[in-house]
Amino acid sequence: MSDLRAEPLSPIDAATLWPQLGRLNTEVIATRGGENLLVSSGLAATGLTHLPHVPRTSVLGVRRGLGYRGVCVARELSGGAGWEVVSLRISRPKDDETVVALCEGVAAQVAQRGSRTVFLRYAEGSPHADALRKGGFFAYRLEHLYAVQPTAVRSETPFRQATRADRHGIFRLYCRAVPEMVRRHEAPTQQDWRAVLDSFECTHGYVLDGPAGFSAWVGAGERENHILLDDPDDAVVQAALDLVELRSPRHGTLVVAEHQFPVESAAIARGYTAMGVRLMCARRLALMNTLKEVVAVTVEPMALPQ
C-alpha cells in the first residue's frame, strides 16, 4: 500500500496553487470550472465583500517538496447529500499512486462533512481509469455527448419554465424515466436527486405537462443540455430537441444517457455530431461521526452494606 497522503489545503494555500497549475498539466478530471473554484477560494480568504456565491469546496494536494505532485478540487452539490470532483490534476503523465491518494482523501473529507456520495465524470478510454476504480469510484452510467446542430427553429414551445414548486414533480419524472439500477446508485431520494441535478449545471429548467405529471424536462446550461423523458412519443422528443436548439448557447452540447435511445436516434437524424463518451461514477460513503471524548471521573470509595 502506498504511503502517499492527500492533505486538505487552506484557502490561502489553494490560492497559491494558481501559478503552479502549469506544472500540474495532466488533467485526470477537468469538469467545467475547477480552476475557477481555486481562484474563488483564494478570494474568499482575503475577506473581500460583494463576491458571487461560491459553493463549499474542498481542495486537497499531494505535496512534493515545495510543490505538488497532484491536486484535487471538489464542490458541495445542492442539498448537501453529494459532492462532485470538478478537477483532478497531476504533474506526471501517469501517476496512479497520486490519483488513488487524492480519491481516498476527498472521500474522507466529504464523509466528515456529512455527505453520502462523491460523483465524478471521466472520458471513456482514460489511462487513469484503473486508478480511479482503485480509489473507490465505480461507473454506473454512460453519457454520450453530441454537439447541438444549430437550426432555424420556432420560438414557440409547449414547454414552460420550471419553478421551485415543480421540484417534486421533476423528481417523480426522474423516477419514471431512469432505470432503477441507475437510480439505486445515483439518487434513491429527492435530496440525492437535487445533488445530481446540480451536477448537471443547468441554469434554466423547462417542463412539459402531461396527463400523469410531467412528460419531459429539459435543462439548459452554459455549456451542456440535459433531457428527461417519460413519454417516448416522437413528437415529445422533437419538441425537446427544438427547445435545446432554441436555448442552447453557441457550441452547446447535448448530454444523452445510455438508456435514452429515442433522444439519441432523433439527435443523430438531426445531424448532431458525436463528441465522445464519458463515464458517470460515484462513491457511496459512510458518515464519519467522531466519538465524544470520555473523561475519567474519580469516585470516592464507599462501604457496601453487609
Side-chain angles (χ1 to χ4, degrees), residues 31-68:
T31 306
R32 298 175 291 279
E35 286 77 13
N36 293 333
L37 285 178
L38 282 175
V39 178
S40 301
S41 179
L43 288 175
T46 65
L48 295 176
T49 58
H50 305 295
L51 291 173
H53 173 71
V54 178
R56 294 176 67 194
T57 58
S58 180
V59 184
L60 298 98
V62 174
R63 298 183 184 273
R64 182 179 59 186
L66 298 178
Y68 291 90

Side-chain angles (χ1 to χ4, degrees), residues 170-191:
I170 297 173
F171 175 64
R172 293 182 62 185
L173 169 64
Y174 165 80
C175 294
R176 297 192 304 270
V178 177
E180 190 273 338
M181 180 183 67
V182 174
R183 289 186 283 111
R184 183 172 65 247
H185 297 300
E186 183 176 70
T189 68
Q190 187 169 346
Q191 185 186 22

